[in-house]
Amino acid sequence: VGGGQSLMLGKKPSVRALFTAFFVLSMISLMMSLIIWQESPQQQMIVYSLLFSPLGVLTRWQLDKYNNVLASFPLGTFSANLLSCALSGSLGSFIAGNPGSEERVVLQSLISGFAGTLSTLATFIVQLSDRIDPIILRYDGLVYAFVMIFWGIMVGFASGQAKNWADDL
């Protein structure tokens, strides 16, 4: 037996390869479950939400690279939360317009899957508490909280009117 086979038997797959294989197999099983549960919109919504969730996680991960641009303001989390507010507002207004049952399932799944994983309260709270220190009178977290909540409400209201704007065109 040649020496090449002994080299191949001793190698272990990397952690990245294992996670990639797990991710691909999960996506395949979720797509197969859509075929199995064609009749139940509630089960379809769960499966679609799970399919859209990794996209929200990957988008948030890419946006987190911008958290160190400004020392006192996490720009990546801010933009991820605003994007989530915009998606939730605009897609929610389309749902209020009474779409068909298939469209409703996909829109609700986008809100809960993609926008839900894009915006996380836990990261916001951790970054908020990291920027508040009453001993040295550092209150950057309060400014961050006010700006995030204010712009989240503004973007939510503006994007909630997307259906009305689309109807006027």
Side-chain angles (χ1 to χ4, degrees):
V1 180
Q5 283 183 341
S6 64
L7 289 176
M8 290 302 289
L9 294 176
K11 285 184 107 177
K12 293 182 181 178
S14 69
V15 174
R16 186 177 190 175
L18 291 174
F19 277 109
T20 302
F22 179 73
F23 177 75
V24 169
L25 289 175
S26 298
M27 290 296 117
I28 291 171
S29 65
L30 284 170
M31 287 182 214
M32 293 301 294
S33 63
L34 280 174
I35 295 169
I36 295 169
W37 290 317
Q38 291 182 45
E39 303 300 320
S40 172
Q42 189 66 21
Q43 289 174 336
Q44 280 185 344
M45 191 173 77
I46 292 169
V47 174
Y48 278 128
S49 295
L50 290 173
L51 278 172
F52 293 134
S53 292
L55 300 174
V57 171
L58 292 174
T59 304
R60 182 175 191 81
W61 174 62
Q62 290 297 317
L63 288 173
D64 276 346
K65 294 178 182 178
Y66 298 105
N67 279 343
N68 297 326
V69 172
L70 300 172
S72 63
F73 197 83
L75 199 57
T77 302
F78 179 74
S79 58
N81 287 340
L82 285 186
L83 180 60
S84 179
C85 287
L87 282 171
S88 296
S90 60
L91 295 177
S93 70
F94 288 132
I95 290 173
N98 223 3
S101 62
E102 294 89 13
E103 292 87 3
R104 179 177 297 276
V105 166
V106 172
L107 291 174
Q108 286 177 337
S109 300
L110 271 170
I111 291 173
S112 62
F114 181 73
T117 56
L118 186 60
S119 172
T120 59
L121 182 63
T123 305
F124 176 69
I125 296 297
V126 166
Q127 291 174 342
L128 184 69
S129 64
D130 283 347
R131 285 163 176 76
I132 295 176
D133 191 358
I135 295 173
I136 60 171
L137 300 175
R138 181 174 171 228
Y139 296 106
D140 294 337
L142 296 177
V143 173
Y144 171 57
F146 175 76
V147 170
M148 181 67 242
I149 292 170
F150 175 78
W151 282 108
I153 290 171
M154 291 298 119
V155 167
F157 282 146
S159 63
Q161 297 301 315
K163 180 186 170 298
N164 296 338
W165 293 336
D167 288 343
D168 290 342
L169 293 178

